[in-house]
Amino acid sequence: MDIRQRVERLLSRMHDTPQYPTQGKVLFVDLENRSSQSSYLPKDVVSTFLAGRGGNMFLLYNLLQEDKDALDPEVPLIFGTGILTSNMPAGTRGNVTSRSPESHAILDSNAGDYFPTFLKRNGYDHLVLFGRNPQWTLLNIQQDKLEFIDATPYLGMDNLELTETIQRDFDCTEQKDMAMARITSAGENQVLCSGIMGGIKAIWARGGAGAKMGSLNLKAVMIQGKLPTFELSKEFKVQNKDIGKKILSTSVIQNALKTVGTPFLYKPSRVLGAMGTKNNQETTWHDTLDADNFDPYRPGMSRCYQCPVRCRADNDMLPGGKGGWGASALSGIAGNASYDKQQSELDHHKQRTYNGIKDDGVFDKYDKGEGPEYIIVGKFGPNIGIKSPEQVLRLNNILNDLALDASSAGASIAWAMELYQRGIIDQSDTGGLDLTWGNYPVVEQLLFMTVKREGFGNVIADSARAVENGHYPEAALQYRMAVKGLFQSDPHDSRILKAFALGLAVATRGMDHLRNRVTLEINARINDDAKFKTELYGGVVAPEPNGYQGKEYAVRRCEDTYAVGDSIGMCRFNTKLFNSPSLPDLTDFSDHLNEMTGLGLDVESLYESGRSITGLERMLNFRLGLRGKDDTLPPRWFDEPINVGPFKGEKIDRDEFEAMKSRFYSITGLNAEGTPALDWHHKLSSLATGYAIRVNLSEAMPGAPEQALIIDEPINNISQLRQALLRKLPEASEQLSNDTINIAIDGDMVLSGEQTTPVPNGSEVTLVPIIGGG
């Protein structure tokens, strides 16, 4: 069944009219045929999976052909907005979802700025793109009007040039009467660590979204016209004010995010000895990258659509550029330097010294921009051996123009540098590039080579798949800091922080902290209050950051909360648990959702929605070949202890980790392969595809620890069932292909007519070995 047949099958289960007053359409766009259809998700689907990330997963589950390569145009690319996107303070976000060309797992990335708001306000909750027209395309959406425009004139343009050209050609201004999701030359060249830009800085980065969009010959999706308004009730506006006050009154917002942005996290990580340095060979770095060292070049803060926080730092290193915003803002705040409170008094009083990247008075467009975030400070600072804030700022601006995922690009370069350090590769492999730590000119050059896949840039472009694609020997995998084929997203080294480590291992999109990171594990006041910590996470959690007991409860609670946040459109930094116990939580979200939709969602049902979303993601990953063994960590963290800081000697104990992971599976409702156990799997399948049968196996088989499994791909007869079983459990193909196995449906043995015998929805099928004798 091809993608168009799958779309038609899904449309038959959807609705022609909204199922609640503010529901947006699902717009299906066939780029090859330049056609579109739209419909609305059923109410029970929204009540379970919400919209945004959860709705995207429902759509992908129905449309994905797992035997297709990620870059096949029959594998869809899906944009989704949250139920409350654009109508709640800090509710600016949307997700992009597909199969990842970079990792071995699902692709799912979250971003804000203005595109999700424009998509939602123009009447769309989800945009499903598939097919590839031979002509590069710019899709222009103006409410119900779609226009397929020849994008050939824009090929080769990166973010800054493309934005300027589009604004001129279409007489529009981004963030005013236009929003755009676009790829750069990196996406055109299917660089696996390329993202989709949603603004000057906003990016759907993780998993190779830019490469996937490029595989569709789609340069940009532009939503044009004055932003439509929503009429909000008086009660909803009151709730909005309460949420806004709750956000702005939180200490971390007041003292850090509004003043310097996320780089405030660098100092506590450095002091703790948990800062990934030189590809995680070391765990601390110079104080030259503490947030106050960026003060001289920070003229102010930018924001996503009507966000009250404005956490996105601007930067300006040009002559005459302004700076000083947030100067000394963190001085005296002990929480910013946990485990060494004297660090809170450290203020570098750095002066503005930049005179061009070569110190020759020559400046260019990369000396001004937006950012950096903490991730770029870490990934393009200590992790590659750079200690100059000016160099980090410039690399940040280059990454924003080229649309490279800072996490994967930085990690890929760090991996290459360690291989170079160890002699596993040399200049004959790098094309003469000197990959010593901290070699700034080579790093800058390499970024431009990467987007064009030139020379050694082709190796960096293949990201964590460099061994698989023949660039490095197998021995290089020992030093690859990745899980499920995705490089670690954040700069934290988690050998100390066991909850962080568990979260990175079980995260559904790969080694990514934004799925479930328990940031508050380094908050001493919470760790010292056992009763409060138990209430916070719904279970007893060890107070020590390096303790293993109960960390599964903390990760589970964060995972549920963040999945709901992504599905309603809430920014992670303004969501309870990510940086503060005082930010808006599921109680606030429940009140807002019910006022907006009337769906009657209480707090417990929202927690269950979070679990259901990640459960469906795990079912998708199972279809892509992932198993329980893939919920793991890089070898380095098990084998090598850290050698600095108050937790010197820490590493991950393998037995303790496996026990912690097993407990996480148990409280989540997963089997030993990390996928929903049978009854829950059956329930999710029935809702996701409208079809579920239980198959009892005749013997123990790899991939099926319960000696049974659920088939949720609608099938017409037993012959199709046998093929579905082989697709579901390829590792058991020899046993399943055994011609001595008969099949019973609801207790009735089928002895003939397998091609005509139906397998009704809800059936219980049993594989029965033929008994020979005489």
Side-chain angles (χ1 to χ4, degrees):
M1 182 176 286
D2 66 19
I3 182 63
R4 291 165 186 85
Q5 292 170 314
R6 288 172 180 265
V7 168
E8 291 301 327
R9 183 175 68 185
L10 181 56
L11 283 167
S12 70
R13 299 172 53 211
M14 295 173 67
H15 298 277
D16 295 332
T17 57
Q19 300 303 288
Y20 55 88
T22 59
Q23 186 179 26
K25 299 175 183 177
V26 180
L27 177 63
F28 298 88
V29 179
D30 184 340
L31 293 164
E32 180 179 352
N33 294 317
R34 300 195 168 204
S35 61
S36 66
Q37 302 179 77
S38 63
S39 195
Y40 295 88
L41 289 179
K43 185 180 292 187
D44 59 349
V45 170
V46 178
S47 295
T48 302
F49 301 115
L50 307 172
R53 171 178 158 189
N56 280 8
M57 290 302 162
F58 167 80
L59 293 164
L60 184 64
Y61 200 84
N62 281 277
L63 300 177
L64 179 66
Q65 301 166 74
E66 59 264 31
D67 60 337
K68 299 286 186 182
D69 181 80
L71 296 175
D72 191 299
E74 291 223 346
V75 173
L77 178 69
I78 306 169
F79 287 83
T81 71
I83 293 179
L84 300 175
T85 295
S86 83
N87 292 309
M88 173 177 63
T92 64
R93 314 290 289 192
N95 280 54
V96 166
T97 306
S98 188
R99 178 176 187 173
S100 172
E102 181 182 14
S103 75
H104 302 114
I106 54 172
L107 182 160
D108 189 62
S109 190
N110 181 274
D113 212 289
Y114 277 62
F115 186 86
T117 290
F118 268 69
L119 188 62
K120 176 69 176 178
R121 291 286 183 87
N122 275 266
Y124 302 107
D125 282 354
H126 303 275
L127 171 62
V128 181
L129 303 158
F130 59 90
R132 177 173 57 214
N133 196 287
Q135 182 185 74
W136 277 88
T137 301
L138 186 155
L139 179 64
N140 191 354
I141 300 174
Q142 299 183 52
Q143 297 192 29
D144 290 332
K145 178 184 176 184
L146 269 64
E147 188 177 5
F148 300 86
I149 299 169
D150 179 11
T152 305
Y154 305 111
L155 293 185
M157 291 185 183
D158 293 323
N159 192 28
L160 296 175
E161 181 185 9
L162 178 65
T163 305
E164 182 180 335
T165 305
I166 291 290
Q167 289 180 144
R168 183 192 66 226
D169 289 355
F170 290 86
D171 190 23
C172 58
T173 302
E174 190 165 32
Q175 297 187 344
K176 291 185 178 179
D177 57 356
M178 182 270 285
M180 181 169 60
R182 64 278 204 173
I183 62 171
T184 65
S185 53
E188 294 170 21
N189 295 321
Q190 296 180 10
V191 171
L192 299 188
C193 52
S194 63
I196 300 170
M197 298 305 299
I200 297 303
K201 177 185 166 295
I203 180 173
W204 288 278
R206 304 258 62 201
K212 177 58 203 173
M213 189 161 161
S215 75
L216 304 179
N217 279 1
L218 183 62
K219 180 66 176 177
V221 179
M222 180 170 64
I223 305 176
Q224 198 175 358
K226 184 179 179 181
L227 188 64
T229 59
F230 270 178
E231 289 299 322
L232 301 176
S233 70
K234 181 179 179 180
E235 178 63 28
F236 195 89
K237 291 177 181 178
V238 170
Q239 291 175 359
N240 266 350
K241 287 183 179 180
D242 291 341
I243 286 179
K245 289 178 181 178
K246 196 170 189 177
I247 291 171
L248 293 176
S249 64
T250 303
S251 175
V252 69
I253 302 295
Q254 287 183 345
N255 298 315
L257 287 175
K258 281 179 67 67
T259 56
V260 302
T262 60
F264 83 92
L265 291 164
Y266 177 86
K267 183 189 285 186
S269 299
R270 170 181 66 79
V271 172
L272 185 62
M275 173 57 68
T277 301
K278 295 182 179 178
N279 201 37
N280 295 81
Q281 293 181 86
E282 303 168 16
T283 58
T284 193
W285 194 237
H286 300 271
D287 63 14
T288 53
L289 296 180
D290 287 0
D292 63 297
N293 287 301
F294 295 90
D295 289 350
Y297 307 109
R298 191 185 305 112
M301 308 292 283
S302 295
R303 65 176 180 173
C304 297
Y305 174 75
Q306 291 191 355
C307 179
V309 178
R310 305 183 77 99
C311 72
R312 201 163 68 206
D314 299 323
N315 68 76
D316 189 347
M317 298 189 291
L318 294 171
K322 295 181 180 180
W325 178 273
S328 302
L330 302 177
S331 179
I333 300 176
N336 181 54
S338 66
Y339 297 97
D340 185 354
K341 289 188 169 49
Q342 289 184 347
Q343 288 282 327
S344 65
E345 300 304 325
L346 177 63
D347 197 326
H348 297 87
H349 302 290
K350 179 177 169 58
Q351 300 300 305
R352 191 180 181 94
T353 59
Y354 186 72
N355 190 39
I357 196 60
K358 297 180 180 179
D359 198 27
D360 57 2
V362 176
F363 301 84
D364 63 22
K365 62 182 179 181
Y366 296 124
D367 293 324
K368 183 177 181 180
E370 291 185 5
E373 300 291 344
Y374 167 59
I375 284 175
I376 289 182
V377 175
K379 290 291 186 177
F380 281 86
N383 211 39
I384 60 173
I386 284 176
K387 57 186 178 181
S388 162
E390 291 86 356
Q391 290 178 349
V392 170
L393 283 172
R394 185 172 169 86
L395 290 173
N396 167 84
N397 296 338
I398 292 171
L399 288 163
N400 288 342
D401 188 38
L402 301 182
L404 292 176
D405 173 11
S407 297
S408 287
S412 186
I413 293 171
W415 185 26
M417 284 180 162
E418 181 173 1
L419 299 180
Y420 187 85
Q421 168 198 320
R422 294 180 178 276
I424 295 173
I425 61 174
D426 56 30
Q427 290 192 17
S428 67
D429 302 294
T430 67
L433 295 179
D434 176 8
L435 295 184
T436 52
W437 299 107
N439 190 343
Y440 175 86
V442 166
V443 173
E444 179 172 320
Q445 178 186 357
L446 194 49
L447 293 180
F448 290 101
M449 294 172 64
T450 297
V451 299
K452 294 181 172 60
R453 285 190 171 269
E454 292 178 349
F456 192 70
N458 188 50
V459 179
I460 302 302
D462 277 342
S463 196
R465 289 190 182 260
V467 171
E468 183 180 331
N469 291 348
H471 301 304
Y472 298 147
E474 195 79 13
L477 292 175
Q478 180 73 15
Y479 310 105
R480 186 183 71 166
M481 299 303 295
V483 171
K484 302 181 184 74
L486 189 69
F487 280 120
Q488 184 181 355
S489 56
D490 70 320
H492 276 102
D493 187 294
S494 296
R495 279 171 278 195
I496 299 169
L497 302 156
K498 302 308 189 287
F500 281 31
L502 175 63
L504 291 169
V506 302
T508 52
R509 69 177 179 185
M511 197 177 184
D512 199 283
H513 73 294
L514 290 169
R515 280 331 220 207
N516 52 31
R517 187 172 75 181
V518 190
T519 310
L520 299 178
E521 277 293 275
I522 59 174
N523 187 309
R525 283 185 293 179
I526 290 174
N527 286 336
D528 292 342
D529 189 337
K531 181 180 179 181
F532 181 74
K533 192 169 186 179
T534 299
E535 292 173 352
L536 196 63
Y537 296 126
V540 178
V541 181
E544 304 85 7
N546 60 335
Y548 292 90
Q549 292 304 310
K551 298 303 166 75
E552 63 275 7
Y553 290 108
V555 173
R556 176 76 266 139
R557 179 57 57 91
C558 288
E559 195 158 272
D560 291 343
T561 302
Y562 301 164
V564 171
D566 284 344
S567 301
I568 67 170
M570 188 61 163
C571 174
R572 183 75 77 253
F573 281 97
N574 298 302
T575 300
K576 182 177 179 177
L577 300 181
F578 194 70
N579 275 311
S580 170
S582 305
L583 286 162
D585 59 12
L586 299 197
T587 300
D588 300 296
F589 300 160
S590 173
D591 293 342
H592 245 38
L593 284 167
N594 291 326
E595 178 67 24
M596 178 69 80
T597 69
L599 291 176
L601 299 169
D602 60 21
V603 172
E604 290 307 311
S605 67
L606 286 180
Y607 277 126
E608 185 60 22
S609 286
R611 191 175 76 104
S612 296
I613 292 163
T614 58
L616 195 62
E617 290 171 350
R618 284 184 165 274
M619 288 159 59
L620 275 161
N621 279 341
F622 191 92
R623 287 169 57 183
L624 297 176
L626 292 170
R627 302 293 184 261
K629 64 180 176 55
D630 297 297
D631 284 340
T632 187
L633 294 165
R636 167 160 282 151
W637 285 359
F638 291 115
D639 301 334
E640 302 174 23
I642 67 171
N643 55 21
V644 297
F647 293 94
K648 183 178 179 180
E650 274 300 322
K651 61 180 181 178
I652 306 294
D653 181 277
R654 289 183 185 273
D655 291 338
E656 290 277 16
F657 170 79
E658 289 299 330
M660 181 171 60
K661 186 177 83 171
S662 180
R663 297 194 301 270
F664 175 82
Y665 281 6
S666 177
I667 67 170
T668 303
L670 306 174
N671 65 23
E673 292 292 4
T675 196
L678 287 171
D679 289 346
W680 185 31
H681 197 148
H682 193 285
K683 179 181 177 182
L684 289 175
S685 293
S686 296
L687 183 59
T689 68
Y691 181 91
I693 61 171
R694 173 175 172 145
V695 180
N696 300 310
L697 304 175
S698 56
E699 58 183 310
M701 295 185 187
E706 299 159 282
Q707 205 166 322
L709 52 83
I710 304 299
I711 297 294
D712 52 24
E713 173 187 351
I715 53 178
N716 296 320
N717 54 55
I718 292 178
S719 293
Q720 289 184 6
L721 171 62
R722 290 188 184 273
Q723 293 304 309
L725 286 169
L726 289 171
R727 286 193 295 274
K728 186 83 169 184
L729 287 182
E731 59 263 62
S733 59
E734 185 174 342
Q735 292 163 279
L736 290 170
S737 298
N738 189 335
D739 59 9
T740 65
I741 294 179
N742 276 348
I743 288 180
I745 300 178
D746 294 329
D748 296 328
M749 191 74 71
V750 178
L751 300 177
S752 63
E754 289 199 354
Q755 293 186 355
T756 57
T757 302
V759 185
N761 179 30
S763 299
E764 183 166 349
V765 175
T766 303
L767 305 189
V768 183
I770 296 175
I771 300 175

